[in-house]
Amino acid sequence: QAPIKATCEDMSCKTGFPEDVHSAVVSRSVHGGQPLLNVRFQSCDGNKKIHFGSSEPEDFRVGEDGVVYAERSFQLSAEPTEFVVSAQDKETQEEWQMRVKLTPEPAFAGASEKDQKKIEDIIFPWQQYKHSSPLKRQKRDWVIPPINLPENSRGPFPQELVRIRSDRDKSLSLRYSVTGPGADQPPTGIFIINPISGQLSVTKPLDREQIASFHLRAHAVDVNGNQVENPIDIVINVIDMNDNRPEFLHQVWNGTVPEGSKPGTYVMTVTAIDADDPNAQNGMLRYRILSQAPSSPSPNMFTINNETGDIITVAAGLDREKVQQYTLIIQATDMEGNPTYGLSNTATAVITVTDVNDNPPEFTAMTFYGEVPENRVDVIVANLTVTDKDQPHTPAWNAMYRMTGGDPTGRFTILTDPNSNDGLVTVVKPIDFETNRMFVLTVAAENQVPLAKGIQHPPQSTATVSITVIDVNESPYFVPNPKLVRQEEGLLAGSMLTTFTAQDPDRYMQQTSLRYSKLSDPANWLKIDPVNGQITTTGVLDRESIYVQNNMYNATFLASDNGIPPMSGTGTLQIYLLDINDNAPQVNPKEATTCETLQPNAINITAVDPDIDPNAGPFAFELPDTPASIKRNWTIVRISGDHAQLSLRIRFLEAGIYDVPIVITDSGNPHASSTSVLKVKVCQCDINGDCTDVDRIVGAGLGTGAIIAILLCIIILLILVLMFVVWMKRRDKERQAKQLLIDPEDDVRDNILKYDEEGGGEEDQDYDLSQLQQPDTVEPDAIKPVGIRRLDERPLHAEPQYPVRSAAPHPGDIGDFINEGLKAADNDPTAPPYDSLLVFDYEGSGSTAGSLSSLNSSSSGGEQDYDYLNDWGPRFKKLADMYGGGDD
């Protein structure tokens, strides 16, 4: 590649661009940030601050040193590219312009082999030297065009590229070097330069897919390291080779297309990428379909855009019910699809044909049958089955059933079974056999989504359903229910009130008449005839009864038939009781308190009548003529229809309790009156009118019921205390008696206890065993002393008299009482232990044990001192004589 030079003719000093048009040859492929050329601006005044600009700022940028850079990467067209470079003085705003024309260099492939092997010389541009003498002719700087180097070169390495040289190397000894990525910056060592000759070489094959271009800077210094020339930029572009196959983003691509789609319908897009230069043929891909499976109804159902990879339909006839899925083998080839030089790769495209509603549901039969008992609801009476060729469990397959006739009252509905798609005819309103014995329904089946355009429902989408109603025994019903009867209260027992009958809806069943019975009668006032339903009274109707609410009394009756199964119905009889004047008014309250003086002494009373208007108020209040003291001491005045005021007529009435009769008469017709006694407690009062004596507190503070309750509580409490005292005394007596008879810790008497019969030992076999049998007489338990658990035979002697303890002995006499009782017990021959024959059980013969008669005491009796037996009383006197007599 020959260097590009731009020269200027000798001229006098003139500020501005030296030429109006500047031409330069650059590489066809321009990369962002790449320096393209250097424009020269001549300034007669070296102090001017010049700012450079470009008419195409989106494509080109001019630096402060006049170097033109590419703003973005693009491809130069075959025609020259022109733009304007401007220079402006920042102080005076004076502006100069120059037109730049860029011409793309010839393609690398078109160069001859000689040109390729030729090593270019890159000469540093002359520098401008300022002297006091007039300006000398100067050589204009240039920009080195990029060096294009193919990737994957086989060498040999190092491979020489260009030689960098300065014109001053003739007079000076220079040293050359390069800096930048690929030289002294990572990746280092790719480019080297001979420091003496300036020969630039590459040391290894390059890979455009890793680094597409290298930006180096060449330097020239003298032997002392002083810069001789300004650094120049060298751009090395790596030329792409077709060394990468296309790669699909996915090995398997999935797409869908509705069945019945027209030709030209878009299906999906497949995409492959190529690591080679996408702007060159090496990275330009083309797509095509290699195969289609299955090949029905046509082997070419789809086509692909060879540049974009869009797959579309080209033939009609997509039918999901016949072919649900297509598999395409897609091939991507670079070199614009050249089968000879391009590299290719394949992927799989799976196209699923989606369902549309192109098949209507069809009934499997023209008529369906079912039956239902009358009066039953939520019962499935028939199953409607349909077939649909569309994809199951989709809106195009799911069936909806609609009744078009035969059910004007809406007694049926049809639900859809989500699993089987069957229609379930269900009863939602009760059906009366006596009214309708059969229904014939017309049903249409549809899908959840409309049918595809151009498809109509066939006759098979409509069917009839014949439903037979089964007669069952129904419950009788009363007419009317409830039945209202108006009757005056006070109707006597045995009176006929009304007739309450029921009807049987089963007109077509043979069964006897209905039977009636009473189900609910809270006051037990009524009875019903079981045959004709006539209701009579068994008690007096009373409107004031607690069972009457708002003048209404309710009773419930039952009507039963003898069908299979028997059925019954209930009816309610409502008796509205009209009031009569059968209750006389009474005074309220029953007790009152007043002061013994005339003022203040008014008592307010109220008349109470269970009857209602007009048999109630207003009431008339008056005092009786007898006894005469009533009207002499008291006076009564009515203050309203229901209230009156009782007060003293005399100035002073002695404190006490007075019974004041009051005659009260209501307004009924005829009138009803009664004499009510008002218990008035007259007491001494203070200046405020409050009672101050005890009688007032007891009488007015506590009512009769409260006083009675308090008295009962006091009596019960006293009884409980008395019972507790009695129980404590009894327990003390029992404890003392037990201690007197037997004290387990102090009782050391040699008692003989009674055991079961054991029979004689080996030495007693010659005795008459019948003498050892248990006596028939046994001492009754009632005569046994308390605390004795013995069955000894008592001797027949008169029992001595034991001392009797007084009911309330002095504590000092207790010791004497105990000593006397002990002495009496010691001298009592009837007290245990008894000197009697003991009874043992017979154990039989043949015992191997030795005789107990052979057992001897291990200690000699002479070694024991038994004199202490004399201190134990008369009961141990015999033992004391036997053992305590010394040597005798």
Side-chain angles (χ1 to χ4, degrees), residues 426-446:
T426 307
V427 181
V428 294
K429 293 183 180 180
I431 302 174
D432 187 8
F433 173 82
E434 287 70 28
T435 304
N436 300 98
R437 300 189 182 184
M438 178 175 288
F439 290 87
V440 179
L441 309 178
T442 303
V443 181
E446 301 173 348

Side-chain angles (χ1 to χ4, degrees), residues 476-479 500-504 514 516 559:
Y477 59 93
F478 285 87
V479 179
F500 196 20
T501 58
Q503 298 180 6
D504 194 341
L514 302 177
Y516 301 95

Side-chain angles (χ1 to χ4, degrees), residues 478-515:
F478 285 87
V479 179
N481 190 16
K483 183 176 183 180
L484 178 64
V485 176
R486 301 175 66 89
Q487 176 64 46
E488 282 189 355
E489 65 172 330
L491 184 65
L492 300 179
S495 303
M496 200 279 288
L497 182 63
T498 185
T499 300
F500 196 20
T501 58
Q503 298 180 6
D504 194 341
D506 298 310
R507 300 193 300 268
Y508 301 100
M509 285 189 175
Q510 295 182 357
Q511 51 192 13
T512 60
S513 59
L514 302 177
R515 304 288 293 181

Side-chain angles (χ1 to χ4, degrees), residues 66 108 174 196 210 310 316 333 386 449 561 564 599 675 690 717 813:
F108 180 80
L174 302 182
I196 303 301
Q210 293 184 0
D310 295 341
T333 306
V386 295
V449 295
D561 61 18
I564 301 176
Q599 295 295 335
T675 301
D690 299 329
L717 182 60
D813 298 336

Side-chain angles (χ1 to χ4, degrees), residues 489-665:
E489 65 172 330
L491 184 65
L492 300 179
S495 303
M496 200 279 288
L497 182 63
T498 185
T499 300
F500 196 20
T501 58
Q503 298 180 6
D504 194 341
D506 298 310
R507 300 193 300 268
Y508 301 100
M509 285 189 175
Q510 295 182 357
Q511 51 192 13
T512 60
S513 59
L514 302 177
R515 304 288 293 181
Y516 301 95
S517 60
K518 184 172 64 173
L519 186 63
S520 173
D521 182 13
N524 200 22
W525 287 343
L526 308 172
K527 70 175 182 179
I528 187 169
D529 188 282
V531 178
N532 56 24
Q534 191 177 71
I535 298 176
T536 56
T537 61
T538 60
V540 179
L541 303 184
D542 185 8
R543 191 198 65 84
E544 290 75 30
S545 171
I546 60 174
Y547 302 105
V548 178
Q549 301 293 331
N550 298 323
N551 303 327
M552 192 74 69
Y553 179 76
N554 295 325
T556 306
F557 298 92
L558 187 70
S560 305
D561 61 18
N562 61 344
I564 301 176
M567 301 297 291
S568 61
T570 60
T572 300
L573 178 65
Q574 295 180 336
I575 306 174
Y576 187 85
L577 294 175
L578 304 176
D579 185 41
I580 62 175
N581 196 12
D582 57 344
N583 293 278
Q586 299 292 328
V587 67
N588 184 51
K590 297 293 184 180
E591 298 178 356
T593 302
T594 186
C595 297
E596 58 185 4
T597 59
L598 184 62
Q599 295 295 335
N601 64 349
I603 301 173
N604 294 325
I605 60 175
T606 303
V608 178
D609 193 337
D611 294 327
I612 60 176
D613 188 70
N615 297 320
F619 300 96
F621 300 87
E622 60 180 347
L623 297 177
D625 296 331
T626 57
S629 61
I630 298 301
K631 285 191 174 182
R632 184 175 63 250
N633 297 334
W634 305 93
T635 181
I636 190 169
V637 178
R638 191 179 75 171
I639 58 177
S640 66
D642 297 339
H643 304 284
Q645 196 172 70
L646 179 70
S647 59
L648 285 175
R649 180 184 293 272
I650 59 179
R651 292 181 177 275
F652 177 80
L653 183 63
E654 186 179 357
I657 298 177
Y658 298 86
D659 291 336
V660 180
I662 301 175
V663 180
I664 305 176
T665 304

Side-chain angles (χ1 to χ4, degrees), residues 614-862:
N615 297 320
F619 300 96
F621 300 87
E622 60 180 347
L623 297 177
D625 296 331
T626 57
S629 61
I630 298 301
K631 285 191 174 182
R632 184 175 63 250
N633 297 334
W634 305 93
T635 181
I636 190 169
V637 178
R638 191 179 75 171
I639 58 177
S640 66
D642 297 339
H643 304 284
Q645 196 172 70
L646 179 70
S647 59
L648 285 175
R649 180 184 293 272
I650 59 179
R651 292 181 177 275
F652 177 80
L653 183 63
E654 186 179 357
I657 298 177
Y658 298 86
D659 291 336
V660 180
I662 301 175
V663 180
I664 305 176
T665 304
D666 61 19
S667 300
N669 187 18
H671 298 297
S673 64
S674 66
T675 301
S676 299
V677 178
L678 176 63
K679 188 178 291 297
V680 180
K681 300 171 184 177
V682 180
C683 62
Q684 296 179 0
C685 299
D686 55 14
I687 60 175
N688 297 323
D690 299 329
C691 288
T692 58
D693 53 0
V694 178
D695 293 338
R696 181 261 174 189
I697 298 175
V698 175
L702 296 175
T704 303
I707 295 175
I708 294 174
I710 293 175
L711 292 177
L712 288 177
C713 292
I714 294 174
I715 293 172
I716 293 173
L717 182 60
L718 293 176
I719 293 174
L720 293 176
V721 172
L722 182 60
M723 291 176 63
F724 178 76
V725 172
V726 172
W727 176 77
M728 291 293 295
K729 289 182 175 294
R730 184 174 180 181
R731 191 181 66 170
D732 292 341
K733 289 182 179 180
E734 291 179 355
R735 185 182 302 167
Q736 292 174 4
K738 290 181 181 180
Q739 291 178 354
L740 290 175
L741 293 175
I742 294 177
D743 190 348
E745 296 181 357
D746 299 331
D747 188 8
V748 294
R749 294 173 294 181
D750 188 7
N751 297 324
I752 301 176
L753 304 181
K754 176 182 178 299
Y755 296 91
D756 290 336
E757 294 180 1
E758 296 183 351
E762 291 81 355
E763 299 292 332
D764 301 327
Q765 298 303 318
D766 296 335
Y767 292 97
D768 185 8
L769 298 179
S770 62
Q771 299 298 325
L772 301 178
Q773 300 302 320
Q774 183 174 358
D776 296 333
T777 60
V778 180
E779 180 183 5
D781 294 337
I783 63 176
K784 291 181 181 180
V786 179
I788 301 301
R789 299 292 186 266
R790 305 180 186 278
L791 295 177
D792 298 338
E793 297 298 328
R794 301 178 62 185
L796 300 178
H797 296 282
E799 297 182 1
Q801 294 296 326
Y802 285 88
V804 179
R805 185 183 178 188
S806 61
H810 191 273
D813 298 336
I814 294 178
D816 296 339
F817 172 75
I818 293 175
N819 292 330
E820 291 175 3
L822 179 60
K823 183 177 180 181
D826 289 339
N827 296 322
D828 184 6
T830 63
Y834 307 127
D835 189 9
S836 60
L837 178 66
L838 298 182
V839 180
F840 299 91
D841 285 342
Y842 174 67
E843 294 182 348
S845 61
S847 174
T848 59
S851 174
L852 296 177
S853 302
S854 61
L855 296 178
N856 295 320
S857 176
S858 61
S859 61
S860 172

Side-chain angles (χ1 to χ4, degrees), residues 298-372:
S298 170
N300 297 314
M301 297 294 296
F302 305 93
T303 186
I304 189 171
N305 187 309
N306 63 346
E307 292 186 2
T308 63
D310 295 341
I311 300 177
I312 59 175
T313 60
V314 293
L318 291 174
D319 190 351
R320 190 204 65 85
E321 287 72 35
K322 296 180 180 179
V323 179
Q324 298 183 3
Q325 193 176 83
Y326 289 91
T327 302
L328 307 180
I329 304 299
I330 310 297
Q331 184 185 61
T333 306
D334 58 15
M335 297 296 293
E336 295 182 309
N338 189 319
T340 303
Y341 303 105
L343 303 177
S344 61
N345 212 337
T346 60
T348 302
V350 179
I351 302 175
T352 302
V353 182
T354 58
D355 187 36
V356 298
N357 194 14
D358 57 346
N359 293 281
E362 298 180 1
F363 286 99
T364 58
M366 297 303 297
T367 304
F368 296 88
Y369 299 91
E371 59 182 21
V372 58

